[in-house]
Amino acid sequence: MARRAEQLTLAKLKKYLIALQITWTAIILASCLRNLSFTREGVTLSATTEARTACDKDLLYRRWVAIHGGVYVTVDDKTPPNPYLKVPERDINTPSGRRLTLVNPAYMTRQVHELGREYAGVQGHITSLNPLNPGNAPDPWERKALEKIATGKNEVVELLGNDKPRLRYMRRLLTEKECLKCHAAQGYHVGDVRGGISVTVPLSENFALLRKAYIFIIGSHLFIWLIGFTALTLGGGRLKSRIEQKSSADLRAEMEWNAAMDASADAIYLLDMNRRIIRANKAFYAMTQSTPDSAIGSHIESVIHPEGEDFPCPVCRAQEEKRDFHLVMETDHPDNPAPFPIEITLKVVRDEDDNPVSMLMFIHDLSNSRREIEEKKRLEADLQQARKMEAIGTLAGGIAHDFNNILTAIIGYTEMARLDINRGEDLVSDLEEVLKAGYRARDLVRQILSFSRHAEHERKPLKIQYELKEALKLMRASIPTTIEIKEDIDTDCETVLADPSDIYQIIMNLCTNAYQAMREEGGTISISLKEIDRDDAGTTSIQTDRYVRLTVSDTGPGIKEESLDRIFEPYFTTKGQGEGTGLGLAVVQGVIKRCGGEISVQSRPGHGATFTIYLPVNQGEHRNEVETGARPVDGNGEMIMVVDDDQAIADLERQILEGLNYRVTMFTDSAAALAAFRQDPDAFALVLSDMTMPQMTGRELAREILALRPRIPVIIATGYSDLIDHDTAHEIGISSLIGKPISRAELASRINCALTAAA
C-alpha cells in the first residue's frame, strides 16, 4: 500500500517537474523576446529623435530666411541665380561690381542638403508632389510619404534596407505667410501642406551595436534559463530521493509513535469496530495486568472484565453504539479497573467520508488532578480576596468623583463668600473653619485614591512627614485601643524622591504587621522620623550625604532568628492560614529600593522588632505647590470658555474667573461648547473643561478644539478619572491637568501660567 502510494507520488512529481521546466522556458523566452524588442525600439527611437532634430533645424533656418525675405549671396558655379524664383530684384550688383543673387528658403535648404551629402551622416531633402524646381522632386519613398502626409499625417517614419540600414523620416511643410511671395501663384494659402522635408539617418553603426546587444541579451537569458532549469532538475531529484526515503521514515515514525504512547501515564488503546484491541500502550497493559500477546486481537471485555459482568457498563454501551463518550469513575465504582479515580474518554475515529473506522480510548488517573483542583480553589479564593480589594479601589474612585464635585462647590463658594463679606471677624473665622474642613476632606480623598489606585508611580520631591501623619490617622481608626501609637516625627525633614502611595504602602504594611503581632496582648507601636547625615547612618550603601531615617518599632513577641534572613522573601510568612500572603514585606522592600533607599530589621524573641528605613534626601530643587493663601494673579479681560456638566460647578468657576478680571462664556453641554468654538475659534483665550461629561469627555473636547486651533491653552479639571493622566494630557497638547476640588488661588495660578506660556 505504502509502495503504491510512493509510486503515485513519484509520477505526480515527474509531471509537475516537466510542467515547471516548460513554464520556466516559456518565461525566459518571453523575457528574451521582450528585451530584444525593447532594444530594437530603443535604436529606432534614437534615430527618429536624431531625424526630428535635423528637421527642426532645417525648419528653423527656413523660417529665419523667410522672415527676412531671402538672403543675397555671391553668384558662382555652385550658386547660380534661381530660375524658378520670379521676384523683383532677384539679381543685383554691388557698387564694387560684385554680382549677387537672392536665395529663397527652398533654394537655401536644397543647397545645405547638397553640401551635407559630401559628408557621411544625416542627409536631408526638401521635396513636394508639385515642386517648382524639378530638383526637388521626390524619390519613390518620399512620394509615398508625401501621399500619407496629404491624408493628414504630421510625419512618416520607416526603417529601410538590410545591407545599408537607414531610417527615413518625412515631416510635412506648411505654407506660411512669407512663403506666398514665391508660391502664391501655385494656389497655396497660409496653412496648406506644400510638401515636406525628408531626413535619412544611416544606421549601420547603430545596427552593429544592436547585434552586440542581441548577443548579450540572448546569452544572459540562456545562462539564467540554464541555472533555473538545472535548479529545477536538481530540486526534483532531491524531492524524489526524499519520497523514496519516506517508506523507511514511516516505519521509524510508527516506532516513535509507539514510544510516545508508552511514555504517557494515561492508558491508551485502539479498538476496531468489533471492539477488538488493535494496539495499546504500556500503561494499559500495567493497569489490566495483560501483555501484548494476550491483549492484541482480543475483545476488550475479556481484558477489562475478565470475570464478566451482570450488566454492560456505560463505556461498553458507548462502544457498542459507536459514539463519543466521556465519564468519570470514582475508585469504588464497580466497573473501574484501576485502584484510583479515573477519567474515561472514547473518541470515534472516522475516515474522509465520516465513516467510523476505529475507537480511540483514554483512561486518565485523576489523583493528581484532584490535588491540583484543590490548590486551584485555594488560589481562586486568594484571587477573589484580591479582587475585593481592587473593587474597594474602584469604589473609592467613583465616590471620589462625586465627592470632589461637592467639595469644589463647598470650598469655592466659601472662598467667594469670604471675599464678599464685611460683617466682622466671627463670620470670617467660621468660614475659615469651613475651608479647613473642606481642605481636609480634599486631602483625605487624595490619600484614599493614592493608596487604592493601580497606576504608574510618579516619583517627585515629597515631604514624607505629612504623608506619615495622614497615614497614621487612617491606621488609628483601624487599630484597637489596646495598642498605643507613639509618634516622633520631625516636621522639618527635607524632601525625598517618592510617590505618596509608596509612603502609604510602607507605613501601612509595617504598622499592620506590628498590630497583628500584638493584637492578643496589646502593646505599643513607635514611629520615628529624623533627618541625619552620613556619620549617623551607620553602614549603608546609599551614596549621599543626608538621609531621612524612618523607624517603626513594636513591643510584640519579636521574630525568631532563623526567620530574620528570609523575612523579605516573597511568600514567606510566619502567620497562620488565611492571615497573610507573605508579600507585605517583599513589597515594602521593593518600594524602598525604587525610592533609592534601604531597609533593615533588628529583633529578638520576646523583645519586639524594629524596622529602620533610610531614604536619600532629594538634592534637586523642590517645586512648591500653589498655596491656598497666595494672592491670585488677576487677568486682563481675556475671554475664557468654561465647560462643566454640573451647573453649580460651572457657575462657581464663572464667578471666580469674573472676580479675577476675566470674561467668561459658560457651557454645561460639551457638544454645544464645541459648536460655539467652531463658529469663532479666535474668540477665546483659554478653555477650562471638566473631564467626565456625557456625550463628549473633556479629553475628546480638547482633541477637537486643539485640532481647530492647535496653540490655544486647554486646562482639564477632574474629580477622579482613570481615562487621563499627566502623560496623556501632555501627548494630547493639554496645558494643565488640575484636580478637583479647585481652590481660587490654584485656579488663578494655573490659568495665568497657561496664558503666559501661550503668549
Side-chain angles (χ1 to χ4, degrees), residues 641-658:
M641 174 184 284
V642 172
V643 188
D644 198 306
D645 62 315
D646 190 319
Q647 180 71 40
I649 302 300
D651 196 51
L652 170 64
E653 291 172 348
R654 177 186 59 77
Q655 292 184 44
I656 292 175
L657 294 176
E658 288 177 348

Side-chain angles (χ1 to χ4, degrees), residues 170-203:
M170 172 74 75
R171 183 185 296 181
R172 67 180 182 177
L173 189 61
L174 298 179
T175 302
E176 298 178 0
K177 182 178 179 181
E178 292 79 3
C179 300
L180 296 179
K181 297 176 182 178
C182 301
H183 299 281
Q186 293 178 280
Y188 287 113
H189 300 88
V190 175
D192 289 345
V193 177
R194 191 164 52 80
I197 293 182
S198 171
V199 178
T200 302
V201 180
L203 297 178

Side-chain angles (χ1 to χ4, degrees), residues 597-608:
E598 289 184 355
I599 183 172
S600 61
V601 58
Q602 296 83 36
S603 179
R604 285 188 302 159
H607 292 80

Side-chain angles (χ1 to χ4, degrees), residues 406-453:
I406 296 171
L407 288 176
T408 297
I410 293 173
I411 293 174
Y413 282 110
T414 303
E415 286 183 330
M416 297 299 295
R418 184 177 60 179
L419 293 174
D420 293 341
I421 63 171
N422 295 300
R423 293 189 297 165
E425 296 182 356
D426 290 340
L427 184 55
V428 173
S429 177
D430 291 342
L431 290 176
E432 292 288 350
E433 291 301 320
V434 173
L435 274 177
K436 288 180 182 178
Y439 292 144
R440 288 181 60 193
R442 178 193 65 183
D443 295 339
L444 177 61
V445 169
R446 289 178 178 175
Q447 291 162 11
I448 293 172
L449 289 176
S450 177
F451 183 69
S452 65
R453 69 165 57 105

Side-chain angles (χ1 to χ4, degrees), residues 635-643 653-654 657-658 660-667 676-677 680-688 709 712-715 751 755:
N636 293 310
E638 294 91 337
M639 174 62 75
I640 296 179
M641 174 184 284
V642 172
V643 188
E653 291 172 348
R654 177 186 59 77
L657 294 176
E658 288 177 348
L660 292 170
N661 196 30
Y662 293 107
R663 293 179 296 127
V664 178
T665 301
M666 184 180 76
F667 295 92
F677 190 87
D680 190 0
D682 296 325
F684 303 96
L686 181 142
V687 176
L688 172 63
R709 184 178 158 196
I712 186 171
V714 178
I715 297 176
I751 289 177
L755 290 174

Side-chain angles (χ1 to χ4, degrees), residues 401 643-646 667-671 689-701 716:
H401 177 268
V643 188
D644 198 306
D645 62 315
D646 190 319
F667 295 92
T668 57
D669 184 312
S670 51
S689 173
D690 186 26
M691 175 59 194
T692 306
M693 295 183 292
Q695 297 184 15
M696 180 184 295
T697 65
R699 183 176 66 176
E700 295 169 346
L701 178 62
I716 296 295

